[in-house]
Amino acid sequence: MLHRPQSLARVISGAETLRILASTALLVGTANAQTFGPRTVLPSIVDGPTCVEAGDLNGDGVMDLVVAEAGGGRVTWIPQLPGGGFGQVLVIDGNLPDASRVRPVDVDGDLDMDVVAGSTMKDTLAWYENGGDGSTWTKHVLVAALNGFSSLAMSDVNMDGDLDLLVTSYADDKVSLFENGGKGGFEAQVALTTKVDNAKAIEPADINADGSPDILVSGVQLFSTDSLNKLVNQGDGTFGPLMVIATASMGITSMSACDLDDDGDLDLLATIKNKVSLAWFENDGTGGFSSYQTIFGQVDAHQIRVADVNHDGDLDLFGASVLASFADSMFWHEGQGGGDFEPKITLQDGSVGTDYFALVDIDGDGGIDIVTASRAADAISVFTNQLSQPPALTGVTGKHCLDSGLITITGTDLTGASVKVRGEPVEVVEASPTELTIFVEPSLPGGLCDVELTNEMGTSVFPAVLPRYPVVVCEPAIELGSPIAIDIENGDAGVFILAFSPSLYATPAPFPVQDWYYGLELNGVWFLGAGAFTPEVTNSTVTLPGIADPEFIGTPFYFQAWTYQAGLNYAGFSGVATSSISSGPLP
């Protein structure tokens, strides 16, 4: 393992842990070592991509990619296909020379994903309004001639519910604000400062913990004096004077605000090009930062990002170099907590070069993947997160199980998972990463059942997600016309309903019609009885008239019972709702 100095103990925390399980799920277990698949180059043809980000541009529930193509002078997007893989490149704007940065974001608040883009060559800043499904785009030019566009970021700096636009321009040393007046109506450019020499990287972050986003910005002179600076938000979207965090001959090419020492405030990571290192600046809790301390040497990176990619509570470090001569153009260090890191793992060698990368769950399996853009290789690539996550449940079907006892569970990371229902193991009949078919005995007591899913990562517990209607199989060896009594016990307070169906739905009902609930057919199920439970009386006996059809004598019968309660709908019994069945003359 690699270690930072003793003063940096407890460096990595879970500030960016991805929550992939339902809010009701309880997790048990720990994560294993993280692995990524090999570089997979998308077949989509791009020309000199310098930026790639992910967002659902067509509203189909899966992540697509938006790309700035500097070589082609275009802003494009690549749809992800429903079954996986990516389609052909679709053009958003075919006339944005040297397009360098893109951000997919809902600019106008209409719940679809728009795109903001900037061009270094033309110094143009524009946003593209999504027609709704990504098939049509309306271009809105904000500035046609910025003086040296270098970077952009989106943040609601004035806390009015709309995302504002922050921009740096290196030729005039500016940090500018374009306030979103609502529905994408941006106000004119306002210069927040003109004192950041060669302004490059920008990141909004609440560094003083007052609830409003401040601004971190670097001025990159590479081999002369450069600076790391902050603009403190006054709470209303106005900013105080520029304050210098550090100034030196460092060459800060990228930065990331995150809680490195687990003390509740945002520290600052930075790539130091001239020092060939990765460093951090500790936040004192009020937005004041210490001098930089080296985390790793021999890190020739131009971009750094952090994320807890293996869900172990520790932030992992990712870096990239655009230089083809650099041996490791895409790499990462697994965080171990307490200031410890595993050695560097190279994901992509320098023969390709990585201009930009994004960390995003691109395939929807709950694991954070890596998407990269390489201008030299004219390629967009994906490194798939191959670490199995704790299994997650998203849906349950086949709750009645009248005939087969089969239930289908949908979710993520289900391959190899074992299943318990009400704490008892059940058979897994068929499994895939997103679907499990399990067998549950029809005699399993009804109610709202807990489901436990376990794989090598641990156990996910989903309380009360399987509403099960109690099923009782009756094989009456009775004479034609003999009545049947069914005792239902331990139900919730509320109205109960008893239904009947044989293995094949009966039409007409085998019972004579008596009162409203006898012979009432809905979707092939005959409703046979109804009543009420109270907190004091939680059992009832339903008496059915004798079997009227000789074809049903000796046939297995399936009786179901469930309660109807306000706010729960047909929720089933909470307790062990069973029936004792007797036939023959009633006492």
Side-chain angles (χ1 to χ4, degrees):
M1 294 184 182
L2 302 178
H3 300 266
R4 295 202 213 165
Q6 184 64 33
S7 61
L8 303 183
R10 298 175 62 245
V11 166
I12 299 299
S13 74
E16 297 189 12
T17 299
L18 178 67
R19 297 179 58 88
I20 65 168
L21 299 176
S23 60
T24 56
L26 308 176
L27 301 183
V28 182
T30 59
N32 297 330
Q34 180 68 33
T35 60
F36 289 91
R39 174 180 178 240
T40 300
V41 180
L42 271 59
S44 311
I45 299 175
V46 291
D47 186 358
T50 54
C51 184
V52 59
E53 292 284 359
D56 183 7
L57 271 64
N58 55 6
D60 64 354
V62 297
M63 285 292 187
D64 310 302
L65 299 176
V66 58
V67 183
E69 296 184 29
R74 307 188 303 176
V75 177
T76 58
W77 72 286
I78 308 173
Q80 185 172 182
L81 305 178
F86 289 86
Q88 295 303 307
V89 172
L90 302 174
V91 177
I92 296 175
D93 184 1
N95 185 27
L96 192 66
D98 204 23
S100 57
R101 288 293 179 264
V102 288
R103 291 289 185 277
V105 63
D106 183 9
V107 172
D108 50 9
D110 62 356
L111 303 182
D112 57 37
M113 197 66 70
D114 309 301
V115 172
V116 180
S119 162
T120 301
M121 178 183 292
K122 291 295 185 181
D123 289 335
T124 299
L125 185 67
W127 77 278
Y128 302 87
E129 183 178 355
N130 192 339
D133 61 0
S135 62
T136 60
W137 300 88
T138 302
K139 184 176 182 178
H140 303 272
V141 176
L142 298 179
V143 178
L146 276 172
N147 195 2
F149 168 77
S150 52
S151 65
L152 63 86
M154 303 293 297
S155 180
D156 184 8
V157 299
N158 55 5
M159 314 292 286
D160 65 353
D162 302 308
L163 288 175
D164 308 303
L165 177 58
L166 297 167
V167 180
T168 58
S169 45
Y170 64 87
D172 56 8
D173 307 325
K174 278 185 181 180
V175 177
S176 300
L177 168 66
F178 295 83
E179 182 182 344
N180 190 341
K183 298 184 179 180
F186 286 96
E187 302 292 336
Q189 178 182 7
V190 174
L192 301 180
T193 182
T194 59
K195 297 181 179 180
V196 181
D197 291 343
N198 203 27
K200 287 291 177 105
I202 186 170
E203 179 164 353
D206 183 11
I207 58 175
N208 56 6
D210 66 352
S212 59
D214 310 300
I215 299 173
L216 297 168
V217 60
S218 66
V220 184
Q221 296 293 338
L222 293 183
F223 294 101
S224 61
T225 301
D226 55 10
S227 62
L228 185 60
N229 312 274
K230 63 182 179 181
L231 290 163
V232 178
N233 196 328
Q234 304 301 297
D236 58 357
T238 62
F239 292 84
L242 185 73
M243 302 175 69
V244 177
I245 297 173
T247 178
S249 180
M250 293 188 292
I252 299 172
T253 56
S254 179
M255 58 187 176
S256 180
C258 47
D259 185 6
L260 291 180
D261 51 6
D262 201 21
D263 62 357
D265 54 42
L266 294 177
D267 308 302
L268 183 58
L269 271 174
T271 54
I272 313 299
K273 183 147 185 87
N274 294 352
K275 303 294 184 181
V276 195
S277 64
L278 175 65
W280 82 303
F281 300 81
E282 183 180 2
N283 192 333
D284 64 5
T286 67
F289 292 90
S290 67
S291 300
Y292 86 88
Q293 302 178 61
T294 299
I295 301 173
F296 295 116
Q298 301 304 309
V299 179
D300 191 2
H302 75 99
Q303 186 184 357
I304 187 74
R305 292 197 178 194
V306 295
D308 181 10
V309 297
N310 52 3
H311 303 274
D312 63 354
D314 305 314
L315 289 177
D316 308 303
L317 307 180
F318 292 79
S321 173
V322 72
L323 299 177
S325 60
F326 184 47
D328 304 326
S329 73
M330 185 72 229
F331 61 90
W332 75 290
H333 296 268
E334 182 182 356
Q336 296 297 298
D340 293 334
F341 293 86
E342 293 295 334
K344 179 170 61 178
I345 299 175
T346 298
L347 298 175
Q348 179 171 286
D349 64 30
S351 63
V352 177
T354 301
D355 289 73
Y356 193 90
F357 71 91
L359 302 178
V360 61
D361 179 10
I362 196 67
D363 52 12
D365 67 352
I368 298 178
D369 310 302
I370 308 169
V371 184
T372 69
S374 174
R375 182 170 185 172
D378 289 329
I380 301 296
S381 304
V382 175
F383 296 88
T384 302
N385 188 328
Q386 295 185 335
L387 176 65
S388 176
Q389 307 297 326
L393 181 151
T394 58
V396 179
T397 59
K399 303 166 190 175
H400 295 247
C401 309
L402 292 185
D403 298 319
S404 65
L406 296 179
I407 288 177
T408 299
I409 292 175
T410 56
T412 58
D413 291 288
L414 299 180
T415 300
S418 61
V419 185
K420 290 183 179 180
V421 178
R422 283 190 180 275
E424 295 297 326
V426 297
E427 177 187 357
V428 177
V429 178
E430 191 172 348
S432 75
T434 58
E435 189 172 284
L436 288 180
T437 301
I438 63 174
F439 177 81
V440 177
E441 293 288 347
S443 59
L444 179 78
L448 300 178
C449 304
D450 296 350
V451 174
E452 297 180 17
L453 303 176
T454 302
N455 65 10
E456 62 181 6
M457 290 294 296
T459 297
S460 304
V461 182
F462 299 87
V465 296
L466 174 55
R468 184 160 178 82
Y469 311 139
V471 178
V472 179
V473 180
C474 177
E475 299 182 4
I478 59 175
E479 297 180 0
L480 192 67
S482 179
I484 296 176
I486 299 180
D487 296 321
I488 306 174
E489 299 177 350
N490 197 24
D492 291 329
V495 175
F496 74 84
I497 299 174
L498 179 70
F500 157 85
S501 175
S503 58
L504 296 175
Y505 294 135
T507 305
F511 301 99
V513 175
Q514 295 184 16
D515 298 328
W516 71 269
Y517 47 79
Y518 290 112
L520 178 64
E521 191 270 344
L522 179 65
N523 295 327
V525 178
W526 292 90
F527 290 83
L528 302 178
F533 290 136
T534 67
E536 293 76 26
V537 179
T538 60
N539 61 80
S540 182
T541 298
V542 176
T543 302
L544 305 179
I547 298 293
D549 189 334
E551 292 186 8
F552 290 97
I553 297 298
T555 299
F557 289 91
Y558 298 80
F559 294 93
Q560 298 174 261
W562 64 89
T563 56
Y564 183 90
Q565 297 175 332
L568 293 178
N569 203 351
Y570 292 99
F573 293 119
S574 63
V576 181
T578 60
S579 300
S580 61
I581 301 176
S582 61
S583 62
L586 295 175

